[in-house]
Amino acid sequence: MTTAKRLIGLMALLPAITVQADDGGISFWLPGQFGALAAAPTEPGWSLPLVYYHVSASEGGSKPFPRGGRTTVGLDAKADLLFASPTYTFAEPLLGAQAAVSVVAAVGRSEASVDATLTGPRGRSFSGGVDDSLKGASDVYLLGTMKWNHGVHNFMAYTMGNVPVGAYDPDRLVNTGLGHASMDAGGGYTYFDKTNEFSAVAGMTYNWENTDIDYKNGIDAHLDLSASHFITSQTHLGVVGYVFHQVTGDSGSGATQGDFKSKVSAVGPQAGHFFKVGKELWYANLKGYYEFDTENRAEGWNSWLTLVVPL
């Protein structure tokens, strides 16, 4: 079970992107990216977690949303993305902790439609529906973690930022890059007694200004949760959830809707299974989230299929 626990830990930190830029109620931090055994130690050396992510979300048709330099109503959006996260875990402890670094990027397709565009990019005005789609690459995400193990109790500190090099155009309705830099930091706890696990990870995000549209998102706070039970030595079942609250308002001349603070909560099932490929033990996990209690943010559902490949 020790190897199993460490393999699950490899999937815990997989930054993701969204179907739009960071305005419009969309955050740098994608809720749900921490999973089962988030703070558990991992095997030293190289690993390659892979994640397929699907999201489908919509906004109410009556409330205007700032988005990519325009103001829209009635958004429907979905995205399919594939993430790769080469990770190196150091064998030598650092301050008594196991340290790891990751570089994360994704490719995929995003598409969206709106019922009406009230104000277009660069001050132009439009009416009627607009559709847009894009195939492209994400920003590059840099991640560092430190994990401390004390028997069944595990603790973690992490920091994550992005290099804004992904596909981004302020005139587009959808983008796979954020168009600005962000930094997130926080900590987590995992209880694991070889049969049951519970994980909770909390953090906060600081966003720099998107100079293309003079828009700066406020500070965000988030909490990711996981609880599961191993029904056999290879398979575990459980639930996942998240809570996201923006604690300070948006700003800049592009923030035409004021502070536009957003929030969302979600809950859903998860299942994980270990299997052998040759002599190596691989791990697959499927989890899904249904969103509710949403404000100033698209609401819908999302699913994650993770494959952890030991190198």
Side-chain angles (χ1 to χ4, degrees), residues 87-106:
T87 299
Y88 184 78
T89 301
F90 295 90
E92 294 298 321
L94 176 63
L95 301 178
Q98 183 188 68
V101 293
S102 302
V103 178
V104 187

Side-chain angles (χ1 to χ4, degrees), residues 15-283:
I17 55 176
T18 55
V19 297
Q20 298 133 354
D22 206 11
D23 56 314
I26 301 300
S27 58
F28 163 77
W29 182 266
L30 184 66
Q33 63 194 48
F34 281 98
L37 292 165
T42 62
E43 286 285 359
W46 286 100
S47 60
L48 182 62
L50 301 170
V51 174
Y52 166 71
Y53 173 75
H54 175 82
V55 59
S56 178
S58 62
E59 297 163 352
S62 60
K63 183 177 179 61
F65 275 67
R67 176 166 292 101
R70 70 184 78 198
T71 302
T72 67
V73 294
L75 172 82
D76 284 298
K78 64 180 180 179
D80 294 278
L81 305 165
L82 179 64
F83 294 89
S85 177
T87 299
Y88 184 78
T89 301
F90 295 90
E92 294 298 321
L94 176 63
L95 301 178
Q98 183 188 68
V101 293
S102 302
V103 178
V104 187
V107 293
R109 185 177 190 275
S110 299
E111 60 182 62
S113 63
V114 294
D115 293 337
T117 301
L118 306 180
T119 304
R122 311 190 194 285
R124 299 191 298 270
S125 296
F126 296 88
S127 61
V130 177
D131 298 303
D132 195 10
S133 64
L134 174 67
K135 295 179 180 178
S138 74
D139 294 344
V140 175
Y141 297 83
L142 306 176
L143 169 70
T145 65
M146 296 181 67
K147 297 179 180 181
W148 293 265
N149 172 254
H150 300 281
V152 298
H153 303 289
N154 302 272
F155 303 89
M156 176 185 67
Y158 78 90
T159 184
M160 182 180 73
N162 72 309
V163 181
V165 295
Y168 178 78
D169 183 341
D171 289 335
R172 298 191 66 99
L173 183 61
V174 296
N175 287 286
T176 53
L178 290 176
H180 66 88
S182 297
M183 179 67 69
D184 191 279
Y189 168 77
T190 291
Y191 172 86
F192 181 54
D193 62 6
K194 298 186 179 181
T195 301
N196 301 292
E197 72 88 21
F198 170 78
S199 297
V201 182
M204 301 190 76
T205 306
Y206 178 83
N207 299 282
W208 280 268
E209 182 183 11
N210 183 334
T211 57
D212 288 320
I213 56 175
D214 298 319
Y215 199 107
K216 182 179 178 181
N217 257 36
I219 296 174
D220 304 321
H222 51 83
L223 172 67
D224 290 351
L225 299 166
S226 169
S228 63
H229 173 73
F230 279 81
I231 60 174
T232 71
S233 61
Q234 294 178 289
T235 304
H236 69 105
L237 303 174
V239 296
V240 289
Y242 55 73
V243 178
F244 177 96
H245 276 260
Q246 185 176 340
V247 296
T248 66
D250 300 343
S251 59
S253 61
T256 57
Q257 303 301 312
D259 59 14
F260 210 71
K261 291 182 180 179
S262 62
K263 68 175 183 177
V264 66
S265 300
V267 67
Q270 70 164 321
H273 182 70
F274 295 92
F275 59 98
K276 279 200 169 184
V277 177
K279 296 182 179 180
E280 299 292 340
L281 187 64
W282 292 34
Y283 175 74

